[in-house]
Amino acid sequence: MVFNDARQVVETAIDNYREQTSRYTQRISNWMSKGDQGTGFAVTGSGAAVGLLLGIAAGSILLALIAAAHALVTAAVFLTVRMLGLVLRGVDSFCHFIYGVTSLSCPNCARKVLPYPSYRCPTSGCGAMHTDIRPGRLGFVRRVCRCGNELPTTIFNGAHKLDAFCPHCGHALPHGVGTAPEIVLAFVGAAGSGKTRLMYGMIESLQELDDEGVEVECLGDTAERLTQIKASITHTGNTGKTLVTTRPKAYGLRLGMHGGDRLLYLFDAAGEQSYRTETSKDLGYLDKMRILILVIDPLAADSLWSSLPPVERARLARLRSESRMELVTFDQTYEQLQSMGVRAGSVRLALVVTKADLLTVRGETPAYWPEAKLEEWVSTPDGLDLGDLVRSARRYFKDVEFFCTAAVTDEEGNVHRSVAGLVQVLLEHEGVTLRRPARAG
């Protein structure tokens, strides 16, 4: 804009110069052509021509100096304003860094919130949405809304206190977004493997932390959805079928603790969505997580299933997931990570064997085994026979850890220690320390 002003000044001066030059050139030409008037006119015309040339030269130099000075001043102002905006944006980014916020995600559509959340004007009767409130041409420290209200443009001067929304789907974001680091946990596994029951148990385990000084707040409709799961478990003994959807929503929690809040998003999609490339593309949250939880149903292993007495097989048949689909789930999930440009080498894989309360192995409960023994049982043919999966996981992912859980509660309503131990280990990888036993044993 400032350079447009300078250009207009120069163009106006040039137009005036051309007009005056044309006028005086015509007069001089007329004088010079009047030879019958004697040499006086010729001399006068020659003098006027020389004067005009000298005037043009002096005027051109003066015009160039004025234009250059104007350009320098306007450029200095423009660069100063730009630098101020960049400095304020840099300070805002540094505030995110101080809070430990490296990315912002939408729990509804699972897309990255870029470049910034949309903020709604708090003025009653206005509600105008501002899509990018950061310092810029519409304001540096404050942005003026169409209603006249001034909105803060950075985290450090209060932007996080405004109501924030996803710029893609318009879903409301947690209050104070941008000041609390995000932890994204993604659950994958075959249909019926126990993903939802495990996730529900993990949330219950976190809610038990209220007695340890950790405040757990359900975000959005999470509390309502958890109530539905609890009702299903109470009446039918299971969580009910997870529906296939093109946009799996997260279960959102705010963990209030010493050292700052955390936003925890748990994504649990239907197992069938991991079977095919066409449906696994809907798992848009996979590029947001740093921990992938692969849930394994031990009852789906043919070797273990065939070793059970017929009476036990009849009792557990309704709880068994599809045989060997965990391999398909693993391969499709890895391919989806690759197609999304996610380096699996930066992701931790938690391989969780569920339903430990339903089986014993050689008279022992796998939930209490050390990790090395558990990995051996998962890998070997006389165990779950997932050696190929384990070897691929070791080769592709940053780290692979093995857990065995029983997502049940005791007589007092407390979650099984195996689930509490899983929660502790996973959150420790995200910088959250809980006073819990690391494993069930």
Side-chain angles (χ1 to χ4, degrees), residues 104-395:
L104 298 176
S105 307
C106 175
N108 183 63
C109 68
R111 297 177 67 180
K112 290 184 178 180
V113 179
L114 295 173
Y116 219 60
S118 296
Y119 288 102
R120 184 169 62 190
C121 176
T123 301
S124 177
C126 179
M129 298 295 292
H130 297 261
T131 55
D132 189 354
I133 206 171
R134 294 177 300 171
R137 63 185 182 86
L138 298 179
F140 290 100
V141 179
R142 297 278 176 178
R143 170 181 290 193
V144 179
C145 181
R146 66 189 182 191
C147 68
N149 185 34
E150 294 185 349
L151 308 179
T153 59
T154 57
I155 291 294
F156 71 85
N157 71 341
H160 61 285
K161 299 177 181 178
L162 301 173
D163 292 334
F165 298 83
C166 174
H168 306 294
C169 68
H171 188 268
L173 298 175
H175 182 70
V177 66
T179 61
E182 293 181 354
I183 302 173
V184 178
L185 302 180
F187 294 77
V188 295
S193 60
K195 300 185 307 301
T196 304
R197 185 64 178 261
L198 174 62
M199 182 206 66
Y200 179 77
M202 292 173 66
I203 294 177
E204 279 193 312
S205 176
L206 285 168
Q207 290 174 331
E208 292 176 0
L209 293 175
D210 281 340
D211 297 333
E212 301 182 18
V214 179
E215 297 181 3
V216 180
E217 174 192 353
C218 291
L219 304 175
D221 63 351
T222 295
E224 179 183 349
R225 295 162 67 196
L226 292 175
T227 299
Q228 294 174 354
I229 293 175
K230 183 177 182 178
S232 179
I233 294 174
T234 301
H235 292 96
T236 67
N238 59 60
T239 60
K241 177 66 177 172
T242 302
L243 300 178
V244 176
T245 174
T246 57
R247 193 170 64 183
K249 291 177 60 176
Y251 291 81
L253 302 175
R254 183 191 301 276
L255 306 180
M257 59 188 68
H258 179 71
D261 292 357
R262 301 289 192 280
L263 296 178
L264 176 61
Y265 297 142
L266 302 96
F267 286 93
D268 170 37
E272 295 89 342
Q273 291 190 248
S274 301
Y275 294 172
R276 299 185 303 276
T277 302
E278 294 76 14
T279 52
S280 63
K281 290 179 180 179
D282 295 328
L283 309 182
Y285 51 82
L286 291 178
D287 64 347
K288 320 295 185 307
M289 53 85 188
R290 291 186 293 267
I291 297 177
L292 177 66
I293 302 173
L294 176 61
V295 180
I296 303 295
D297 177 11
L299 301 179
D302 293 331
S303 57
L304 185 146
W305 185 253
S306 61
S307 68
L308 297 176
V311 175
E312 281 293 286
R313 290 202 295 269
R315 182 177 69 88
L316 299 174
R318 68 183 183 87
L319 301 176
R320 189 189 188 205
S321 63
E322 298 180 71
S323 177
R324 314 312 294 176
M325 291 308 294
E326 63 271 3
L327 294 173
V328 176
T329 299
F330 176 83
D331 290 339
Q332 284 293 336
T333 302
Y334 176 72
E335 289 182 8
Q336 183 60 25
L337 288 174
Q338 294 293 97
S339 67
M340 298 173 78
V342 178
R343 279 195 323 109
S346 63
V347 177
R348 295 180 182 273
L349 177 67
L351 196 154
V352 183
V353 179
T354 56
K355 307 178 183 178
D357 53 304
L358 300 178
L359 73 153
T360 59
V361 179
R362 295 182 291 274
E364 299 178 339
T365 302
Y368 298 104
W369 284 352
E371 186 177 8
K373 185 175 182 179
L374 183 60
E375 179 180 358
E376 180 182 1
W377 177 61
V378 171
S379 305
T380 55
D382 60 342
L384 302 186
D385 195 20
L386 295 175
D388 290 342
L389 187 154
V390 171
R391 284 186 289 273
S392 296
R394 289 285 189 195
R395 183 166 63 252

Side-chain angles (χ1 to χ4, degrees), residues 42-100:
V43 172
T44 302
S46 299
V50 173
L52 179 61
L53 291 175
L54 293 176
I56 290 174
S60 299
I61 294 174
L62 182 59
L63 175 63
L65 291 175
I66 293 175
H70 186 277
L72 289 175
V73 171
T74 53
V77 172
F78 176 77
L79 292 176
T80 300
V81 170
R82 289 285 295 175
M83 286 299 298
L84 178 59
L86 292 175
V87 168
L88 289 175
R89 290 194 179 198
V91 171
D92 192 53
S93 298
F94 183 71
C95 288
H96 282 93
F97 174 77
I98 293 297
Y99 283 119

